[in-house]
Amino acid sequence: MKVLVTGSAGFIGSAICRRLEDEGDEVVRVDVMLPQAHGATAAPDGTHRVDVRDAESWTGLLDGVDAVCHQAALVGAGVRVADLPLYAAHNDVGTAALLSAMHAADVDRLVLASSMVVYGEGRYTCAEHGDQVPGARRIEDLDAGRFDHACRVCDEPLGWALVDERARLDPRSSYAASKVAQEHYATAWVSQARGTAIALRYHNVYGPGMPRDTPYSGVAAMFRSSLERGAAPQVFEDGRQMRDFVHVDDVARANVLALRAVVGRTGFTAYNVCSGHPVAIGDVAAFVADGAERPQAPEVTGGYRAGDVRHVVASPRRAAEELGFVAEIMPENGLREFATAPLRA
């Protein structure tokens, strides 16, 4: 298979390229080398420096391509209103331009990097009163250390449950809104161009080659940076907020499985890409600290960031049943190894 990979020099994109080439596929590497992701690093050999927003720049690159694996995106929290134009330009316009170029080149198979952020909050349930959709947490509750959502009937803390791909989309940031838009563009393209698209909703991705201390780094990298400075990792809230952490090697494998699966099917389908083993953020900090050269016990601060979700944990079932994807690296092992893995400057 000949696959064009956008964002090929990035953390996830480069892992996908390596796996495809290891399996004998031909890879066309495309990356604009955004300074936010790469600093002043030169483009790797064989990389076409292309801005996905420029539809005319795709001339010739899509010739003979069987499928596109679209990883290029501006990422990060995107919590400021001022961030909206950047995310809309790189993620929304970039995806629309790519899909237009694919149609012109008669390429009708797409695997799209999406994210858990499309869900906003996770799924909540009360043991007595069932599933509920809570609103935003109140600042006065957070200030008082009441971090869990409360049942609207009995006022007891709501528990978390697994989110599957049928959950409503509820973006809470510029980045999240742009990821929802990418999925919607792909859905429209499938209908208009008679293409096939798979969106992979990544949960918290970590592993070797992750950027260090940039908007592209995640909380695990931040915990590691604290340890390397000789400081204790700082854990917000009570440390019991639940997430799913998935290793970049598993994410690369999920993309390759999706690229194989996109052949011979029709329509648009979304899949969670997760480990299937939920972990509390306090335990993430403890695992990273345990594997560090200079371990320090994490410090649970009780602080918070307004707008953060309490829990969001994915169901791995659809990806397992339809793609054959089951994560191989469990968080308790991968996060300990991550503590000393090579990172990108």
Side-chain angles (χ1 to χ4, degrees):
M1 180 181 287
K2 184 176 182 180
V3 181
L4 186 145
V5 180
T6 70
S8 61
F11 169 47
I12 296 173
S14 58
I16 294 168
C17 290
R18 286 193 299 271
R19 186 160 192 111
L20 283 167
E21 289 172 341
D22 287 346
E23 295 194 11
D25 296 288
E26 181 181 355
V27 178
V28 180
R29 297 172 180 253
V30 172
D31 201 304
V32 74
M33 303 301 292
L34 278 176
Q36 295 97 316
H38 303 285
T41 304
D45 290 345
T47 301
H48 300 275
R49 291 198 64 172
V50 171
D51 189 327
V52 293
R53 297 170 292 180
D54 180 8
E56 294 182 359
S57 66
W58 292 100
T59 303
L61 288 178
L62 287 161
D63 291 350
V65 165
D66 297 299
V68 170
C69 186
H70 184 32
Q71 304 296 314
L74 186 69
V75 306
V79 295
R80 301 182 307 144
V81 173
D83 295 329
L84 280 164
L86 277 175
Y87 285 94
H90 285 283
N91 299 357
D92 301 5
V93 175
T95 299
L98 172 61
L99 293 172
S100 176
M102 288 174 63
H103 181 57
D106 199 27
V107 179
D108 60 0
R109 299 167 185 161
L110 173 73
V111 172
L112 169 69
S114 188
S115 170
M116 68 173 188
V117 297
V118 301
Y119 297 124
E121 284 279 6
R123 180 180 165 204
Y124 295 88
T125 186
C126 172
E128 184 175 354
H129 301 106
D131 283 3
Q132 297 184 29
V133 180
R137 293 183 292 175
R138 300 183 307 170
I139 295 298
E140 53 265 39
D141 287 335
L142 298 174
D143 285 339
R146 294 188 295 269
F147 301 117
D148 282 308
H149 292 286
C151 173
R152 61 176 178 266
V153 180
C154 65
D155 206 38
E156 290 297 310
L158 292 175
W160 57 268
L162 298 180
V163 178
D164 68 23
E165 292 84 352
R166 297 168 297 178
R168 72 189 186 116
L169 305 185
D170 184 23
R172 303 288 182 95
S173 68
S174 305
Y175 174 58
S178 74
K179 282 293 166 186
V180 172
Q182 285 185 308
E183 289 198 15
H184 286 171
Y185 277 116
T187 302
W189 170 80
V190 162
S191 177
Q192 293 177 305
R194 297 185 180 179
T196 305
I198 288 176
L200 300 179
R201 293 173 179 167
Y202 304 155
H203 285 249
N204 297 272
V205 186
Y206 70 97
M210 194 173 192
R212 180 191 299 272
D213 298 330
T214 76
Y216 287 66
S217 59
V219 67
M222 294 174 185
F223 290 154
R224 172 178 161 154
S225 293
S226 295
L227 289 160
E228 290 174 343
R229 294 194 305 269
Q234 303 291 296
V235 179
F236 284 173
E237 302 188 16
D238 58 1
R240 304 319 300 165
Q241 54 272 47
M242 300 298 294
R243 298 291 189 273
D244 190 297
F245 280 73
V246 58
H247 196 277
V248 67
D249 289 350
D250 280 325
V251 173
R253 188 165 52 84
N255 273 272
V256 174
L257 288 168
L259 286 162
R260 308 289 186 237
V262 82
V263 177
R265 66 160 67 186
T266 58
F268 172 90
T269 313
Y271 295 95
N272 288 325
V273 174
C274 58
S275 73
H277 290 258
V279 60
I281 292 295
D283 291 335
V284 172
F287 292 148
V288 176
D290 189 49
E293 294 178 350
R294 293 186 294 172
Q296 287 205 45
E299 179 184 344
V300 178
T301 67
Y304 63 86
R305 294 186 303 184
D308 274 2
V309 302
R310 177 59 172 170
H311 306 298
V312 55
V313 180
S315 168
R317 182 174 179 177
R318 179 186 283 182
E321 291 178 349
E322 299 182 15
L323 297 181
F325 171 72
V326 177
E328 295 177 348
I329 302 172
M330 295 299 99
E332 58 267 29
N333 300 321
L335 287 164
R336 288 187 174 96
E337 294 175 359
F338 173 70
T340 54
L343 298 186
R344 181 178 304 184

